[in-house]
Amino acid sequence: MDFAHDARTTELRERLLAFMDEQVYPAEPVLAEQLADPARTPWSVPPVVADLQAEARKRELWNLFLPGEQGAGLTNLQYAPLAEITGRSPHLAPPALNCAAPDTGNMELLAQFGTPGQRERWLRPLLEAEIRSAFAMTEPEVASSDATNVETRIVRDGDDYVINGRKFYITGAMNPDCKLIIVMGKTDPTAEPHRQQSMVLVPRDTPGLTVERGMTVFGYDDADHGGHAELLFEDVRVPAANLVGEEGGGFAIAQARLGPGRIHHCMRAVGIAERALEAMCRRANARVAFGKPLAAQGVVQDWVAESRVRIEQLRLLVLKTAWLMDTVGNRGAHTEIQAIKIATPRTVEWILDKAVQAHGAAGVGQDTPLAQLWAGVRTLRLADGPDEVHKRSLARRELRKHR
């Protein structure tokens, strides 16, 4: 690996850093004010995001996550340091650049597996941020960490598919601008376990689809991006042309979608860790306890040193994974993708925990972003596959080498 940024990455970093300083960080208190406005439409994205998006487009900081002609054409290795920067303000910077989940994964899915008609109807407006989308896989009645457990049924009926089932924690589905839900369910329960599932595109206003409630994450409603919904599908009928890929291809498509999604989360989480460490250092230098600054207390110095070491380790592992995805493909980077998904959330959670501790009571409240950042990072240990599933798969691959 060449550890230096190439010329394009360097230039984009400079532009993005300026955008963060001039636009994003000053917009953070505006976001809080708009979220608290009683006249706001529930679950809608606050207006400040659209303002930032307009500015990002002017600065040509748009769709940086998507390779090829439809996006910015960056490699994973080029995108990694940019995504890290956006992670420093995860509620504003990713959507400002149209680089926020779950839309990013859905756009990648449509770009890779969608038909020309599907791309025209759904991918184009997503690329323009004219609409938002959701991805419905997790279910309340089964262990969704094993995708073969999915019970939602997708049954062919003439020229249509009919969907019945219940999903929950469907990110973004409460947002009034969410127009598309990509649903994973079983089309053939008798097939080989990894060929039972398929994906279909379901417009949010389809009859029979009920958005039952918004769900909280450690008490946060995440309403700034559309929350997380519980959805009920009762005889929801869509045209057979809404099938993504082929029948039985849902599991493989899900894996293709989740690989980039996992590394994007990890890229941004490194930025969250950097901001947490910065906050910890500022707090330690500003506060005095037991006759000397917190920064002079040995335990605080240990936290700071450990945080720096852990951030550097994470960044290198994320960059190596990005480089492998570019050079040998997602399958070739399978071990590293799992490794970063295991290591990053728990490490950043540790750093955030120490930043909270350094802030005392202020660390658990709304006056700093630390508590909400901790809740989001802790959730990453479940999202896109829990730690234990990744460890199980990683261990099996490692053991196989020595049989």
Side-chain angles (χ1 to χ4, degrees), residues 295-356:
Q297 306 285 353
V299 65
V300 176
Q301 292 178 352
D302 183 77
W303 294 345
V304 170
E306 280 287 340
S307 296
R308 173 49 60 201
V309 170
R310 295 181 189 208
I311 289 172
E312 297 304 322
Q313 290 173 326
L314 278 185
R315 182 181 289 117
L316 289 172
L317 185 52
V318 169
L319 289 174
K320 178 193 176 185
T321 305
W323 174 73
L324 283 171
M325 290 171 71
D326 292 335
T327 54
V328 298
N330 294 2
R331 186 178 295 275
H334 185 266
T335 293
E336 285 74 15
I337 290 172
Q338 291 189 310
I340 60 169
K341 183 58 174 63
I342 295 165
T344 305
R346 72 182 182 189
T347 302
V348 178
E349 179 190 335
W350 185 92
I351 295 168
L352 281 163
D353 182 76
K354 298 303 176 279
V356 167

Side-chain angles (χ1 to χ4, degrees), residues 350-378:
W350 185 92
I351 295 168
L352 281 163
D353 182 76
K354 298 303 176 279
V356 167
Q357 198 74 3
H359 282 74
V364 300
Q366 69 269 43
D367 293 336
T368 77
L370 295 173
Q372 191 170 15
L373 291 174
W374 181 92
V377 169
R378 178 61 183 86

Side-chain angles (χ1 to χ4, degrees), residues 4-17 82:
H5 299 313
D6 64 13
R8 188 172 187 207
T9 305
T10 299
E11 192 265 335
L12 284 170
R13 281 190 78 253
E14 291 172 356
R15 269 197 274 152
L16 182 54
L17 287 168
L82 307 175

Side-chain angles (χ1 to χ4, degrees), residues 89-353:
S89 186
H91 298 284
L92 276 178
L97 276 56
N98 207 32
C99 292
D103 293 315
T104 49
N106 292 341
M107 286 187 268
E108 289 167 334
L109 185 153
L110 288 166
Q112 188 172 354
F113 300 102
T115 65
Q118 291 170 350
R119 290 196 292 267
E120 175 58 28
R121 182 174 179 186
W122 300 114
L123 178 58
R124 186 198 58 75
L126 282 168
L127 288 169
E128 298 297 322
E130 295 171 356
I131 64 172
R132 300 295 297 269
S133 63
F135 183 75
M137 181 172 172
T138 303
E139 298 181 1
E141 300 300 329
V142 298
S144 299
S145 57
D146 179 357
T148 63
N149 283 338
V150 168
E151 291 184 340
T152 294
R153 288 300 314 276
I154 302 173
V155 178
R156 182 71 181 256
D157 182 22
D159 293 332
D160 297 330
Y161 282 105
V162 180
I163 307 159
N164 283 280
R166 185 180 294 272
K167 303 285 188 178
F168 80 156
Y169 280 102
I170 307 309
T171 300
M174 300 297 296
N175 185 348
D177 292 329
C178 177
K179 305 301 182 184
L180 170 67
I181 299 173
I182 302 178
V183 181
M184 180 149 162
K186 284 188 177 178
T187 43
D188 184 1
T190 65
E192 186 271 325
H194 294 95
R195 292 287 301 173
Q196 296 178 3
Q197 307 82 12
S198 301
M199 290 189 192
V200 291
L201 307 177
V202 180
R204 188 171 179 266
D205 59 359
T206 304
L209 169 55
T210 303
V211 180
E212 294 212 315
R213 59 172 175 158
M215 310 187 72
T216 62
V217 178
F218 290 106
Y220 293 100
D221 60 17
D222 291 344
D224 57 291
H225 61 68
H228 314 276
E230 181 167 359
L231 305 176
L232 178 62
F233 297 83
E234 297 176 297
D235 293 329
V236 173
R237 186 176 291 268
V238 297
N242 285 24
L243 178 72
V244 180
E246 62 177 3
E247 276 198 21
F251 187 89
I253 294 172
Q255 294 306 305
R257 180 189 185 278
L258 287 171
R262 286 167 179 150
I263 194 171
H264 292 171
H265 280 310
C266 293
M267 292 169 180
R268 289 188 293 266
V270 175
I272 291 173
E274 285 284 11
R275 188 162 187 186
L277 176 56
E278 179 183 305
M280 186 182 355
C281 291
R282 291 183 185 277
R283 182 76 170 191
N285 283 319
R287 291 296 174 109
V288 174
F290 304 103
K292 59 182 180 180
L294 287 180
Q297 306 285 353
V299 65
V300 176
Q301 292 178 352
D302 183 77
W303 294 345
V304 170
E306 280 287 340
S307 296
R308 173 49 60 201
V309 170
R310 295 181 189 208
I311 289 172
E312 297 304 322
Q313 290 173 326
L314 278 185
R315 182 181 289 117
L316 289 172
L317 185 52
V318 169
L319 289 174
K320 178 193 176 185
T321 305
W323 174 73
L324 283 171
M325 290 171 71
D326 292 335
T327 54
V328 298
N330 294 2
R331 186 178 295 275
H334 185 266
T335 293
E336 285 74 15
I337 290 172
Q338 291 189 310
I340 60 169
K341 183 58 174 63
I342 295 165
T344 305
R346 72 182 182 189
T347 302
V348 178
E349 179 190 335
W350 185 92
I351 295 168
L352 281 163
D353 182 76

Side-chain angles (χ1 to χ4, degrees), residues 57-107:
R57 298 192 76 158
K58 289 180 186 176
R59 300 185 185 213
E60 297 183 355
L61 296 168
W62 193 252
N63 291 333
L64 300 179
F65 75 96
L66 190 62
E69 296 179 358
Q70 293 170 316
L74 301 178
T75 65
N76 287 295
L77 189 59
Q78 289 174 314
Y79 180 55
L82 307 175
E84 177 184 326
I85 293 170
T86 67
R88 294 178 58 88
S89 186
H91 298 284
L92 276 178
L97 276 56
N98 207 32
C99 292
D103 293 315
T104 49
N106 292 341
M107 286 187 268

